[in-house]
Amino acid sequence: MNNLRLKALAGAGCLTMALVGAAHAGGFARGSADTDILFDDGNFNMRAGVTYVSPRREFSKVAPAANPALIGTSYTDDYVVPSAAVKLNITDNLRCAATMVDNNGGSVTYAVPKPSGKLSEDFTTNEKALTCGVKLQAGPGNFWILGGGYVEDFQYSRVNVTPIPGALANLTLDGQKFGYRIGAAYEIPDIAFRAQLMYRSGTDYGAAGTLAVPGALLGLPVASVPLAALGTGHLPQTVEFKLQSGIAPGWLAFGSVKWADWSVQDKLLVTSVIPTPVGPIAGPGSDDEYHWKDGWTVTGGVGHAFNDRVSGLVSLTWDSGVSTGYDFSSDAYTLAVGASVKDTMGGELRGGVGVSYLTASEVTKGSDAGFAVKAGYAVAGSLSYNIKW
């Protein structure tokens, strides 16, 4: 088996994994930390990339109290997922990687307000992490012990219309949490075989911020009143198993299965406080219901090294819907293709495109019952560059 070609091919494998992960619709997941850089050849490696995703889901039916002008409009916003990783071999058997990625997010804008008054909503979590690997020789290959920690920054914003004509209520929240990941892997480099299991802890937020409401809404002669606000919610722990192996000269098969306990996210609860001469009282709030079930993401694909510099791959991903009737998080299917080209300066350029089919969905429970969306799609493009010494 051509070992050089397989190494070139294995190096391009994480591109499609990142691409399809960003395009899927389950929960709020967007990107994953590029911890696979730990396995790359080289004493010092750097990789940076960006994925652009453009989803489209149109309303096919609205609740009785909703504005029928929503029908036929798409509410999903385009988004960008940045990713970066730097790996350093500390010793022959110990190496560490610093990574950064926007790992969760959601962004919607409605053509006209929903019955709740919501006009737009956006949130992003950014993970910065340090993950290390210890390599131990075992039989024909190497056994790896993996682990590290991360800090996750949470940013949320929402705009609602109010009973005051032309006046809006603006909510902004920020939070930060810490977590960890731990895993193990076994690889046989000569045949590009690697099996890896990784666990990542979840996060629970009490994100603090400000709800700015029109003064007239509170009977005050001012344009806007900033109220202290608090948002509480949960993001899931995950377990992911990845497997790849050379199957013929210049050919590689790969796959992964990922579980995320999105069932921890039952609702996003926002509360605010109004200061008064007799003490603080409860102010305007909201309760976004999700009541999700756990999610599964399954990916399979093959790659081929055309020569020592150029390789390509294709993959298919199924992402299970997590909705239990309170929102539109339905099943998604993604077809992605990617390519890797090594240059003469020691770098490697990777690119890919993906198309996702988002199945139709209807809300049957909660305050948004009666809304439905027809089947939609998402298109994604990704570029990254890797260099090693």
Side-chain angles (χ1 to χ4, degrees):
M1 188 170 292
N2 189 320
N3 188 39
L4 290 176
R5 290 188 180 185
L6 279 174
K7 284 187 176 181
L9 187 58
C14 68
L15 166 67
T16 297
M17 298 296 186
L19 179 64
V20 298
H24 75 67
F28 289 128
R30 282 190 174 176
S32 298
D34 184 8
T35 56
D36 284 348
I37 199 171
L38 286 167
F39 302 103
D40 285 4
D41 291 337
N43 293 317
F44 182 77
N45 302 63
M46 294 191 301
R47 182 155 57 227
V50 62
T51 299
Y52 179 82
V53 182
S54 180
R56 186 169 180 84
R57 305 196 81 171
E58 294 182 358
F59 287 106
S60 58
K61 186 173 71 171
V62 297
N67 189 330
L70 283 170
I71 296 176
T73 64
S74 179
Y75 62 94
T76 48
D77 295 333
D78 296 359
Y79 60 91
V80 174
V81 183
S83 176
V86 177
K87 185 264 291 185
L88 174 66
N89 290 5
I90 299 173
T91 69
D92 289 342
N93 297 315
L94 172 64
R95 55 186 65 176
C96 293
T99 58
M100 183 281 295
V101 68
D102 282 357
N103 56 319
N104 293 294
S107 183
V108 295
T109 301
Y110 301 105
V112 295
K114 296 180 68 178
S116 64
K118 187 183 298 183
L119 189 60
S120 66
E121 188 174 22
D122 180 89
F123 98 93
T124 304
T125 61
N126 178 269
E127 179 200 284
K128 298 177 181 66
L130 181 67
T131 307
C132 295
V134 176
K135 180 174 65 173
L136 305 170
Q137 186 173 356
N142 303 309
F143 178 74
W144 291 82
I145 301 173
L146 309 169
Y150 67 83
V151 57
E152 185 177 82
D153 293 304
F154 175 96
Q155 292 187 324
Y156 177 91
S157 64
R158 189 178 69 204
V159 177
N160 281 62
V161 298
T162 71
I164 310 300
L168 302 174
N170 294 275
L171 172 67
T172 57
L173 300 171
D174 294 282
Q176 187 178 83
K177 289 294 181 179
F178 296 87
Y180 67 94
R181 55 170 45 90
I182 188 170
Y186 184 75
E187 64 170 353
I188 305 175
D190 286 344
I191 59 172
F193 173 86
R194 185 192 307 146
Q196 178 186 173
L197 183 67
M198 185 76 81
Y199 168 81
R200 183 189 184 277
S201 64
T203 47
D204 299 315
Y205 279 95
T210 301
L211 174 62
V213 299
L217 198 62
L218 303 176
L220 301 174
V222 293
S224 179
V225 179
L227 306 176
L230 179 70
T232 57
H234 312 276
L235 292 173
Q237 60 185 334
T238 62
V239 177
E240 184 172 20
F241 176 72
K242 297 179 182 179
L243 180 66
Q244 68 172 51
S245 179
I247 54 176
W251 287 91
L252 182 83
F254 60 90
S256 68
V257 177
K258 184 176 183 178
W259 167 81
D261 68 334
W262 284 109
S263 56
V264 299
Q265 178 55 19
D266 51 355
K267 59 181 66 178
L268 171 64
L269 179 63
V270 176
T271 57
S272 65
V273 176
I274 302 175
T276 71
V278 296
I281 62 173
S286 64
D287 187 353
D288 287 353
E289 296 184 282
Y290 297 98
H291 305 290
W292 281 333
K293 59 185 178 181
D294 291 354
W296 292 88
T297 304
V298 181
T299 295
V302 295
H304 179 58
F306 300 102
N307 52 53
D308 293 343
R309 293 181 57 193
V310 180
S311 58
L313 45 78
V314 60
S315 71
L316 181 65
T317 294
W318 166 68
D319 191 272
S320 70
V322 296
S323 174
T324 59
Y326 289 86
D327 73 343
F328 302 126
S329 297
S330 58
D331 287 10
Y333 301 86
T334 301
L335 176 67
V337 294
S340 167
V341 179
K342 291 188 175 182
D343 58 37
T344 57
M345 299 179 293
E348 182 182 3
L349 179 66
R350 304 174 181 180
V353 294
V355 178
S356 297
Y357 172 75
L358 312 176
T359 56
S361 183
E362 182 174 1
V363 177
T364 58
K365 303 174 183 177
S367 59
D368 282 342
F371 279 91
V373 294
K374 60 184 180 182
Y377 64 88
V379 294
S382 181
L383 279 176
S384 69
Y385 188 74
N386 176 70
I387 192 166
K388 65 182 180 181
W389 288 273

